[in-house]
Amino acid sequence: MEIILALGIGTLAGSGVWLILRPRTFQVIIGLSLLSYAINLFILAMGRLRIGAPPVLATRGVGDPLLYADPLPQALVLTAIVISFATTALFLVVLLASRGLTGTDHVDGRERDS
Amino acid sequence: MPQEMLLIAIVMLPFVGSCLAALLQSNARNAETWLAGATALTCLVLVSTAFPAIAAGGIIRNKIEWLPEFGLDFTLRVDGFAWMFAVLITGIGFLVVLYARYYMSPTDPVPRFFSFLLAFMGAMLGIVLSGNLIQLVFFWELTSLFSFLLIGYWHQNAPARDGARMALTVTSAGGLCLFAGVLLVGHIVGTYDLDRVLASGHLIRSHHLYIPTLLLVLLGALTKSAQFPFHFWLPHAMAAPTPVSAYLHSATMVKAGVFLLIRLWPALGGTDEWLWLVGSAGLITFILGAYIAIFQQDLKGLLAYSTISHLGLITLLIGLDAPLGIVAAIFHILNHATFKASLFMAAGIIDHESGTRDIRRLSGLWRFMPVTATLAMVAAAAMAGVPLLNGFLSKEMFFAETIETHNGSLLDDALPYIVTLASTCTVAYSLRFIRDVFFGPPPTGLPRTPHEPPRWMRFPVELLVLACLVVGIIPSMTVGPALDAAVRAVLGGDTPEYSLAIWHGFTPELLMSILAMSGGVALYFALHGYLLSGVEGPPLLRRLNGQRIFERILVFLSWRLARRLENLLGTRRLQPQLRLLVGMALLAGAAPFYAGGFSTGRPVSDIDPGFALVWAVGAACAIGAAHLAKFHRLAALVLLGGAGLVACISFVWLSAPDLALTQLVVETVTTVLLLLGLRWLPKRIPEAGAMGWWTQMLQWHRARDLTLALCAGAAVAALAYAAMTEPVPDRISRFFVENAYTQGGGTNIVNVILVDFRGFDTLGEITVLGVVALTVYALLRRFRPAAESVPLPEQQRIQNAYDDEHPERATGDTIADAMTIPALIMRLMFPVIGVVALFFFLRGHDLPGGGFVAGLTMAVAFILQYMAGGTHWFEARLRILPLRWMGFGLLVAAGTGAAAWLFGRPFLTSYFAYANVPLIGPVPLASVLLFDLGVFSLVVGATVLMLIAIAHQSVRSHRAAPQTRGPRPQPAPRRMEVE
């Protein structure tokens, strides 16, 4: 399992990095989304992989940490998902505004002199 | 009043007065004068009451501990020397206030003036009364700041602004040097306490950091006192109102520099470096100032250079590094303050009553203002060093000190001759001030007919001139005790014998005085013709313009150098920056492995073929999205959704149900948002047949980026694998698992962490979400789409054309028809989704769900209505006001947190209990449910606000499009209905 998830995270991250280095704003926004998937999974993986042990207490009382997946990375990732949604929305609007103002969708706001 | 309180009152009173003065009406000249005058006078009286305590060499201290572990205390300390300065500052301050009442015009906004003046007085008192060096530097910078504001008081004049800026730049740069120097002193001595620093002179002088310390402190003092080569700011500061000049350049501001030199002389002085650095700076300034002053055509300009010259004289005396020199320096500080303040005021009266300060246009004013003329002449004579006036006494002491041998160098031997020559210049410009202004034929063509000023405007001058006379005639009976206390405070046991007698017999210094006097008269008459020719500035040195050099340096530093560095090291292009960022991240990530070696543990779980298959799809989606994002945006978006779904499945698989839920709805909402945005991005078509070298360049760029991306991907994969296979260290997660129910009252640990343990983070997060939504809304209100995106999309055009061809159809029917059944289902889904959202919200604390998911789910319900009915239909029916939802959410969340205060608990402390509801059974009632309600409400509001803001654009631009064709009256743009 670990190797599959690691390779998956790597593929997402590599694709994301490739895209954020591209000159078009839409490529960058897709790249950032891919990167955020990779990073969210990475953070989750830092709590180690557990299958069939969601961090929901089965009994009302003091929980045993060994029985449940690590809840802390999950709480962090939950926050990260919402924030990355917000930044994607913001970036989308900046992208559109910049496209209208500069007449180009190049990340620098102007085409490279060729 | 106890003496400790006394000191605090003296320092605080001017600041309090300053605040009060700022509040008065802008034409309240009299009230301002009463307030400021009373403040200054009270301070003066308070200072005077301290004299008995310090007269015999005593020191009053008041220490308030602030950060004792860093040696930072608020320490006030007054000894004889500080007392003398405090009297000068408050006394002359009072006279300046009185004078300013008549000088300032009724149209000037006086509250600002008096407020700054009082604050400046407070800052100066802070400097002289500081018992801690850091505190001294603080007040030092305050004087720079307030002098900037005072010099630039008439900010409508360009010279005032330039002069103020230059003064600020020079003196506060010096202040920073002083700060560094003080830190070094603190490092050497181990404390910033003034008493201990003064007692550690030997330690400082023998330390290997002595030279840098000395240089830094001197840079501070010499810039403040306008010593060569930093003298150029002072003449430009003459753009200030004359009361300010009279105050800043007689008793305060520039005297702060020499104050500091004398204050720190016991600690830093007594070395060859001191002698050479301070002595030569003073000597050059003394000569240069006196020489340039002769050739000034502006009365205040003459006085400005004379101030520079006299400060040079004082600095030279301090630099001579002998106790008698210090005595003479302190005495001359006192004398210079009195005669220079009165001269500035007299110059201001002349300017005020005749309308000009140009010496070439003034003459014969004696006939028009005999009293003022007499006063000014006496003060000028004191400046020249005429016997029976105070200037004579300190100048005699000065001459006597220059005759003494100091280090036996050639310069030392020549010193008496040089200073006699420079004093000749002093006499010459003093004579010029008297003769060119007050004697000669009556003036012609003045803007106003000169006359005597109002009674009380002249009063400060009278008082100061009286002081010059009294001190000059009976020195030991008047100034003697104060001077003695001041000298003893600095020199302690080394205080030499000195005499304040007027007549010492026929001494060499008397001969020097006579020589300077007669030489000065001769020089004046020799230069008279040249001066009348009206040339501005001195011969020989006219080209050496300090201001121009200063400006060149500033332009170089702040513009050319910055630009050059930016061109060399920076780029405004995003791609190189990101490339650098990724590269650095790779290096930073690799460094620890390079140092510690890379190893992995054993995989914990076996490979599940299903999971592998899911990720094969996920990887394909990611790579496909990367490949297609440039030319096939929609396909890339779909593939991105696929990758997101795989992430979502992984969350389910890996025991993270909350994440999976959230990811799923976020994925939906994000996709819709991006789809809405796609419409505004014009089609991109691959260019065919680009130029050869350009293609090669692109290929090279791509190869490089691909390498970087592959490395990054591989590195992340390796890092993730290595971390996942290592055993888990003991974590803080244990705490959350164990206490989620017992302290948080919920079984869904993730939710308890979010709304309870880390509730403050969540509050911050929803605030960010709200800010983003508002920003999106604000950005889109001024949205201008790209020109090629304005017309209707092709598909809509075809559909509309079809509708238009058939008379029985209305425009838009085709799309409505196609959507009939989906729209019906979507509308029916609205309440269902609402119930699901409520379900998620209510179970959140105990089972997967929560405010975030519920809010986003609710937003999805709204999006569906959009799709079903279209923008017009939806906006006409939109009854939720997203801004109110957001505001309500934030208030509820923060209010729930704040409510804990009512029960004496810290912010966001939660409370929970179970209520037994009949039929339903126990229902959890935790205060965090309210908090989660805030989260829910804000998420709904923010998401809907963003969506409708983007979707609304499609309505706006179509209406805007026809306007470009003709001059039709524009309908008022329809506002988005969100408020």
Side-chain angles (χ1 to χ4, degrees), chain B residues 222 227-229 261 274-289 308-319 398 415 419 422:
Chain B
L222 297 183
Q227 294 298 293
F228 180 83
L261 287 179
W274 177 278
L275 183 69
W276 277 110
L277 287 171
V278 183
S280 50
L283 183 61
I284 296 172
T285 316
F286 177 37
I287 302 168
L288 201 68
I308 293 176
S309 167
H310 277 274
L311 285 164
L313 187 157
I314 297 167
T315 309
L316 172 60
L317 275 170
I318 301 165
F398 167 61
L415 198 58
V419 298

mmCIF file of all heavy atoms in Angstrom, chain B residues 222 227-229 261 274-289 308-319 398 415 419 422:
data_model
loop_
_atom_site.group_PDB
_atom_site.id
_atom_site.type_symbol
_atom_site.label_atom_id
_atom_site.label_comp_id
_atom_site.label_asym_id
_atom_site.label_seq_id
_atom_site.Cartn_x
_atom_site.Cartn_y
_atom_site.Cartn_z
ATOM 1 N N LEU B 222 27.743 63.994 15.662
ATOM 2 C CA LEU B 222 28.173 65.014 14.695
ATOM 3 C C LEU B 222 27.074 65.321 13.680
ATOM 4 O O LEU B 222 26.958 66.459 13.234
ATOM 5 C CB LEU B 222 29.454 64.575 13.984
ATOM 6 C CG LEU B 222 30.671 64.394 14.906
ATOM 7 C CD1 LEU B 222 31.908 64.042 14.116
ATOM 8 C CD2 LEU B 222 30.925 65.638 15.739
ATOM 9 N N GLN B 227 27.911 68.997 12.252
ATOM 10 C CA GLN B 227 29.358 69.177 12.124
ATOM 11 C C GLN B 227 29.818 68.687 10.758
ATOM 12 O O GLN B 227 29.229 67.776 10.180
ATOM 13 C CB GLN B 227 30.074 68.390 13.225
ATOM 14 C CG GLN B 227 29.801 68.912 14.612
ATOM 15 C CD GLN B 227 30.279 70.337 14.788
ATOM 16 O OE1 GLN B 227 31.455 70.621 14.762
ATOM 17 N NE2 GLN B 227 29.338 71.264 14.935
ATOM 18 N N PHE B 228 30.894 69.317 10.264
ATOM 19 C CA PHE B 228 31.451 68.917 8.986
ATOM 20 C C PHE B 228 31.784 67.422 9.025
ATOM 21 O O PHE B 228 32.305 66.956 10.015
ATOM 22 C CB PHE B 228 32.726 69.724 8.720
ATOM 23 C CG PHE B 228 33.394 69.388 7.432
ATOM 24 C CD1 PHE B 228 32.980 69.963 6.251
ATOM 25 C CD2 PHE B 228 34.439 68.464 7.400
ATOM 26 C CE1 PHE B 228 33.590 69.635 5.059
ATOM 27 C CE2 PHE B 228 35.036 68.133 6.201
ATOM 28 C CZ PHE B 228 34.616 68.722 5.036
ATOM 29 N N PRO B 229 31.476 66.624 8.031
ATOM 30 C CA PRO B 229 30.859 66.958 6.731
ATOM 31 C C PRO B 229 29.339 66.785 6.695
ATOM 32 O O PRO B 229 28.808 66.562 5.617
ATOM 33 C CB PRO B 229 31.526 65.939 5.819
ATOM 34 C CG PRO B 229 31.716 64.742 6.682
ATOM 35 C CD PRO B 229 31.913 65.228 8.081
ATOM 36 N N LEU B 261 28.206 64.444 23.383
ATOM 37 C CA LEU B 261 29.674 64.367 23.409
ATOM 38 C C LEU B 261 30.195 64.611 24.821
ATOM 39 O O LEU B 261 31.066 63.883 25.317
ATOM 40 C CB LEU B 261 30.274 65.392 22.437
ATOM 41 C CG LEU B 261 30.137 65.071 20.944
ATOM 42 C CD1 LEU B 261 30.755 66.176 20.106
ATOM 43 C CD2 LEU B 261 30.805 63.744 20.628
ATOM 44 N N TRP B 274 39.918 60.281 19.923
ATOM 45 C CA TRP B 274 38.942 61.305 20.295
ATOM 46 C C TRP B 274 39.469 62.680 19.902
ATOM 47 O O TRP B 274 38.774 63.471 19.272
ATOM 48 C CB TRP B 274 38.678 61.232 21.802
ATOM 49 C CG TRP B 274 37.754 62.287 22.310
ATOM 50 C CD1 TRP B 274 38.061 63.570 22.633
ATOM 51 C CD2 TRP B 274 36.338 62.159 22.529
ATOM 52 N NE1 TRP B 274 36.958 64.250 23.037
ATOM 53 C CE2 TRP B 274 35.880 63.414 22.993
ATOM 54 C CE3 TRP B 274 35.432 61.121 22.398
ATOM 55 C CZ2 TRP B 274 34.551 63.651 23.313
ATOM 56 C CZ3 TRP B 274 34.105 61.363 22.721
ATOM 57 C CH2 TRP B 274 33.669 62.607 23.176
ATOM 58 N N LEU B 275 40.700 62.932 20.284
ATOM 59 C CA LEU B 275 41.313 64.241 20.006
ATOM 60 C C LEU B 275 41.278 64.537 18.516
ATOM 61 O O LEU B 275 40.836 65.600 18.079
ATOM 62 C CB LEU B 275 42.750 64.232 20.517
ATOM 63 C CG LEU B 275 43.513 65.546 20.362
ATOM 64 C CD1 LEU B 275 42.939 66.580 21.300
ATOM 65 C CD2 LEU B 275 44.991 65.346 20.645
ATOM 66 N N TRP B 276 41.691 63.570 17.720
ATOM 67 C CA TRP B 276 41.783 63.820 16.281
ATOM 68 C C TRP B 276 40.409 63.908 15.636
ATOM 69 O O TRP B 276 40.133 64.830 14.873
ATOM 70 C CB TRP B 276 42.602 62.709 15.599
ATOM 71 C CG TRP B 276 44.067 62.972 15.721
ATOM 72 C CD1 TRP B 276 44.972 62.298 16.475
ATOM 73 C CD2 TRP B 276 44.804 64.022 15.072
ATOM 74 N NE1 TRP B 276 46.216 62.845 16.360
ATOM 75 C CE2 TRP B 276 46.146 63.910 15.498
ATOM 76 C CE3 TRP B 276 44.463 65.041 14.197
ATOM 77 C CZ2 TRP B 276 47.149 64.777 15.056
ATOM 78 C CZ3 TRP B 276 45.459 65.912 13.759
ATOM 79 C CH2 TRP B 276 46.784 65.778 14.184
ATOM 80 N N LEU B 277 39.551 62.950 15.931
ATOM 81 C CA LEU B 277 38.246 62.917 15.257
ATOM 82 C C LEU B 277 37.382 64.101 15.661
ATOM 83 O O LEU B 277 36.924 64.879 14.813
ATOM 84 C CB LEU B 277 37.519 61.613 15.593
ATOM 85 C CG LEU B 277 38.068 60.350 14.926
ATOM 86 C CD1 LEU B 277 37.412 59.121 15.516
ATOM 87 C CD2 LEU B 277 37.810 60.419 13.430
ATOM 88 N N VAL B 278 37.172 64.247 16.960
ATOM 89 C CA VAL B 278 36.276 65.302 17.426
ATOM 90 C C VAL B 278 36.917 66.659 17.188
ATOM 91 O O VAL B 278 36.289 67.597 16.680
ATOM 92 C CB VAL B 278 35.940 65.102 18.913
ATOM 93 C CG1 VAL B 278 34.962 66.148 19.388
ATOM 94 C CG2 VAL B 278 35.372 63.712 19.134
ATOM 95 N N GLY B 279 38.201 66.756 17.528
ATOM 96 C CA GLY B 279 38.902 68.030 17.390
ATOM 97 C C GLY B 279 38.904 68.520 15.958
ATOM 98 O O GLY B 279 38.553 69.670 15.675
ATOM 99 N N SER B 280 39.271 67.639 15.019
ATOM 100 C CA SER B 280 39.377 68.124 13.642
ATOM 101 C C SER B 280 37.996 68.414 13.067
ATOM 102 O O SER B 280 37.821 69.402 12.344
ATOM 103 C CB SER B 280 40.142 67.135 12.769
ATOM 104 O OG SER B 280 39.611 65.861 12.926
ATOM 105 N N ALA B 281 36.984 67.583 13.404
ATOM 106 C CA ALA B 281 35.630 67.893 12.915
ATOM 107 C C ALA B 281 35.216 69.263 13.411
ATOM 108 O O ALA B 281 34.703 70.096 12.653
ATOM 109 C CB ALA B 281 34.643 66.840 13.383
ATOM 110 N N GLY B 282 35.464 69.532 14.700
ATOM 111 C CA GLY B 282 35.087 70.824 15.261
ATOM 112 C C GLY B 282 35.844 71.962 14.614
ATOM 113 O O GLY B 282 35.262 72.986 14.243
ATOM 114 N N LEU B 283 37.149 71.795 14.434
ATOM 115 C CA LEU B 283 37.973 72.870 13.884
ATOM 116 C C LEU B 283 37.521 73.225 12.468
ATOM 117 O O LEU B 283 37.302 74.398 12.134
ATOM 118 C CB LEU B 283 39.444 72.443 13.884
ATOM 119 C CG LEU B 283 40.432 73.507 13.396
ATOM 120 C CD1 LEU B 283 40.355 74.729 14.292
ATOM 121 C CD2 LEU B 283 41.844 72.965 13.356
ATOM 122 N N ILE B 284 37.355 72.186 11.626
ATOM 123 C CA ILE B 284 36.946 72.450 10.238
ATOM 124 C C ILE B 284 35.591 73.146 10.218
ATOM 125 O O ILE B 284 35.377 74.115 9.495
ATOM 126 C CB ILE B 284 36.887 71.124 9.442
ATOM 127 C CG1 ILE B 284 38.281 70.511 9.352
ATOM 128 C CG2 ILE B 284 36.333 71.373 8.051
ATOM 129 C CD1 ILE B 284 38.291 69.121 8.765
ATOM 130 N N THR B 285 34.662 72.661 11.051
ATOM 131 C CA THR B 285 33.325 73.257 11.057
ATOM 132 C C THR B 285 33.388 74.703 11.520
ATOM 133 O O THR B 285 32.712 75.576 10.964
ATOM 134 C CB THR B 285 32.408 72.455 11.993
ATOM 135 O OG1 THR B 285 32.619 71.070 11.759
ATOM 136 C CG2 THR B 285 30.968 72.777 11.737
ATOM 137 N N PHE B 286 34.191 74.939 12.533
ATOM 138 C CA PHE B 286 34.337 76.290 13.083
ATOM 139 C C PHE B 286 34.788 77.269 11.988
ATOM 140 O O PHE B 286 34.164 78.307 11.747
ATOM 141 C CB PHE B 286 35.348 76.236 14.240
ATOM 142 C CG PHE B 286 35.656 77.553 14.872
ATOM 143 C CD1 PHE B 286 34.666 78.522 15.035
ATOM 144 C CD2 PHE B 286 36.942 77.830 15.321
ATOM 145 C CE1 PHE B 286 34.960 79.744 15.639
ATOM 146 C CE2 PHE B 286 37.232 79.043 15.929
ATOM 147 C CZ PHE B 286 36.249 79.999 16.075
ATOM 148 N N ILE B 287 35.855 76.894 11.269
ATOM 149 C CA ILE B 287 36.400 77.785 10.240
ATOM 150 C C ILE B 287 35.425 77.918 9.076
ATOM 151 O O ILE B 287 35.083 79.010 8.630
ATOM 152 C CB ILE B 287 37.750 77.238 9.725
ATOM 153 C CG1 ILE B 287 38.722 77.094 10.884
ATOM 154 C CG2 ILE B 287 38.325 78.143 8.666
ATOM 155 C CD1 ILE B 287 39.938 76.302 10.528
ATOM 156 N N LEU B 288 34.965 76.757 8.596
ATOM 157 C CA LEU B 288 34.116 76.731 7.410
ATOM 158 C C LEU B 288 32.833 77.521 7.647
ATOM 159 O O LEU B 288 32.438 78.358 6.819
ATOM 160 C CB LEU B 288 33.776 75.273 7.084
ATOM 161 C CG LEU B 288 33.338 74.977 5.676
ATOM 162 C CD1 LEU B 288 34.508 75.172 4.736
ATOM 163 C CD2 LEU B 288 32.835 73.543 5.576
ATOM 164 N N GLY B 289 32.196 77.271 8.801
ATOM 165 C CA GLY B 289 30.939 77.957 9.105
ATOM 166 C C GLY B 289 31.147 79.454 9.168
ATOM 167 O O GLY B 289 30.373 80.225 8.583
ATOM 168 N N ILE B 308 26.409 76.845 12.907
ATOM 169 C CA ILE B 308 27.302 75.737 12.573
ATOM 170 C C ILE B 308 28.699 76.025 13.113
ATOM 171 O O ILE B 308 29.346 75.176 13.732
ATOM 172 C CB ILE B 308 27.339 75.542 11.044
ATOM 173 C CG1 ILE B 308 25.985 75.067 10.546
ATOM 174 C CG2 ILE B 308 28.431 74.581 10.649
ATOM 175 C CD1 ILE B 308 25.910 74.936 9.046
ATOM 176 N N SER B 309 29.143 77.273 12.891
ATOM 177 C CA SER B 309 30.493 77.648 13.306
ATOM 178 C C SER B 309 30.650 77.578 14.825
ATOM 179 O O SER B 309 31.634 77.052 15.340
ATOM 180 C CB SER B 309 30.771 79.053 12.789
ATOM 181 O OG SER B 309 31.904 79.574 13.391
ATOM 182 N N HIS B 310 29.655 78.100 15.539
ATOM 183 C CA HIS B 310 29.757 78.074 17.006
ATOM 184 C C HIS B 310 29.696 76.652 17.547
ATOM 185 O O HIS B 310 30.378 76.330 18.526
ATOM 186 C CB HIS B 310 28.656 78.942 17.614
ATOM 187 C CG HIS B 310 29.022 80.386 17.662
ATOM 188 N ND1 HIS B 310 29.732 80.949 18.681
ATOM 189 C CD2 HIS B 310 28.819 81.367 16.765
ATOM 190 C CE1 HIS B 310 29.939 82.219 18.435
ATOM 191 N NE2 HIS B 310 29.388 82.514 17.266
ATOM 192 N N LEU B 311 28.884 75.808 16.905
ATOM 193 C CA LEU B 311 28.856 74.416 17.335
ATOM 194 C C LEU B 311 30.202 73.764 17.072
ATOM 195 O O LEU B 311 30.670 72.923 17.846
ATOM 196 C CB LEU B 311 27.750 73.662 16.605
ATOM 197 C CG LEU B 311 26.355 73.985 17.112
ATOM 198 C CD1 LEU B 311 25.316 73.533 16.124
ATOM 199 C CD2 LEU B 311 26.131 73.297 18.444
ATOM 200 N N GLY B 312 30.825 74.194 15.958
ATOM 201 C CA GLY B 312 32.174 73.700 15.667
ATOM 202 C C GLY B 312 33.137 74.099 16.766
ATOM 203 O O GLY B 312 33.966 73.302 17.222
ATOM 204 N N LEU B 313 32.977 75.321 17.226
ATOM 205 C CA LEU B 313 33.832 75.813 18.319
ATOM 206 C C LEU B 313 33.656 74.937 19.559
ATOM 207 O O LEU B 313 34.632 74.511 20.186
ATOM 208 C CB LEU B 313 33.437 77.258 18.597
ATOM 209 C CG LEU B 313 34.239 78.115 19.582
ATOM 210 C CD1 LEU B 313 33.999 79.576 19.230
ATOM 211 C CD2 LEU B 313 33.867 77.856 21.009
ATOM 212 N N ILE B 314 32.393 74.662 19.881
ATOM 213 C CA ILE B 314 32.121 73.839 21.080
ATOM 214 C C ILE B 314 32.699 72.435 20.887
ATOM 215 O O ILE B 314 33.344 71.879 21.785
ATOM 216 C CB ILE B 314 30.596 73.776 21.343
ATOM 217 C CG1 ILE B 314 30.061 75.172 21.648
ATOM 218 C CG2 ILE B 314 30.297 72.837 22.488
ATOM 219 C CD1 ILE B 314 28.553 75.278 21.627
ATOM 220 N N THR B 315 32.469 71.872 19.676
ATOM 221 C CA THR B 315 32.979 70.529 19.408
ATOM 222 C C THR B 315 34.498 70.505 19.504
ATOM 223 O O THR B 315 35.090 69.566 20.034
ATOM 224 C CB THR B 315 32.527 70.074 18.019
ATOM 225 O OG1 THR B 315 31.127 70.260 17.904
ATOM 226 C CG2 THR B 315 32.855 68.628 17.786
ATOM 227 N N LEU B 316 35.127 71.569 18.979
ATOM 228 C CA LEU B 316 36.591 71.651 19.063
ATOM 229 C C LEU B 316 37.036 71.650 20.516
ATOM 230 O O LEU B 316 37.980 70.943 20.901
ATOM 231 C CB LEU B 316 37.066 72.922 18.337
ATOM 232 C CG LEU B 316 38.539 73.284 18.467
ATOM 233 C CD1 LEU B 316 39.411 72.160 17.926
ATOM 234 C CD2 LEU B 316 38.836 74.572 17.714
ATOM 235 N N LEU B 317 36.338 72.424 21.343
ATOM 236 C CA LEU B 317 36.681 72.478 22.771
ATOM 237 C C LEU B 317 36.560 71.091 23.408
ATOM 238 O O LEU B 317 37.417 70.694 24.202
ATOM 239 C CB LEU B 317 35.746 73.454 23.488
ATOM 240 C CG LEU B 317 36.169 74.918 23.443
ATOM 241 C CD1 LEU B 317 35.051 75.796 23.956
ATOM 242 C CD2 LEU B 317 37.419 75.115 24.278
ATOM 243 N N ILE B 318 35.496 70.378 23.040
ATOM 244 C CA ILE B 318 35.321 69.031 23.605
ATOM 245 C C ILE B 318 36.430 68.131 23.090
ATOM 246 O O ILE B 318 36.996 67.311 23.810
ATOM 247 C CB ILE B 318 33.945 68.453 23.226
ATOM 248 C CG1 ILE B 318 32.830 69.366 23.731
ATOM 249 C CG2 ILE B 318 33.764 67.060 23.787
ATOM 250 C CD1 ILE B 318 31.481 69.073 23.117
ATOM 251 N N GLY B 319 36.767 68.332 21.801
ATOM 252 C CA GLY B 319 37.784 67.488 21.189
ATOM 253 C C GLY B 319 39.161 67.715 21.762
ATOM 254 O O GLY B 319 40.023 66.838 21.682
ATOM 255 N N PHE B 398 38.034 79.815 25.637
ATOM 256 C CA PHE B 398 38.341 79.028 24.444
ATOM 257 C C PHE B 398 39.748 79.337 23.941
ATOM 258 O O PHE B 398 40.572 78.452 23.714
ATOM 259 C CB PHE B 398 37.293 79.347 23.378
ATOM 260 C CG PHE B 398 37.618 78.875 21.990
ATOM 261 C CD1 PHE B 398 37.792 77.527 21.714
ATOM 262 C CD2 PHE B 398 37.745 79.781 20.946
ATOM 263 C CE1 PHE B 398 38.061 77.098 20.433
ATOM 264 C CE2 PHE B 398 38.032 79.358 19.660
ATOM 265 C CZ PHE B 398 38.196 78.019 19.408
ATOM 266 N N LEU B 415 47.294 75.916 16.304
ATOM 267 C CA LEU B 415 45.891 76.104 16.657
ATOM 268 C C LEU B 415 45.543 77.539 17.065
ATOM 269 O O LEU B 415 44.559 78.093 16.550
ATOM 270 C CB LEU B 415 45.505 75.109 17.760
ATOM 271 C CG LEU B 415 44.018 74.867 17.939
ATOM 272 C CD1 LEU B 415 43.396 74.370 16.646
ATOM 273 C CD2 LEU B 415 43.777 73.853 19.044
ATOM 274 N N VAL B 419 42.559 79.612 15.107
ATOM 275 C CA VAL B 419 41.285 80.011 15.709
ATOM 276 C C VAL B 419 41.168 81.533 15.740
ATOM 277 O O VAL B 419 40.063 82.067 15.641
ATOM 278 C CB VAL B 419 41.080 79.412 17.117
ATOM 279 C CG1 VAL B 419 41.037 77.909 17.041
ATOM 280 C CG2 VAL B 419 42.120 79.889 18.088
ATOM 281 N N ALA B 422 39.825 82.370 12.402
ATOM 282 C CA ALA B 422 38.404 82.026 12.274
ATOM 283 C C ALA B 422 37.552 83.004 13.069
ATOM 284 O O ALA B 422 36.471 83.399 12.628
ATOM 285 C CB ALA B 422 38.166 80.598 12.767
#
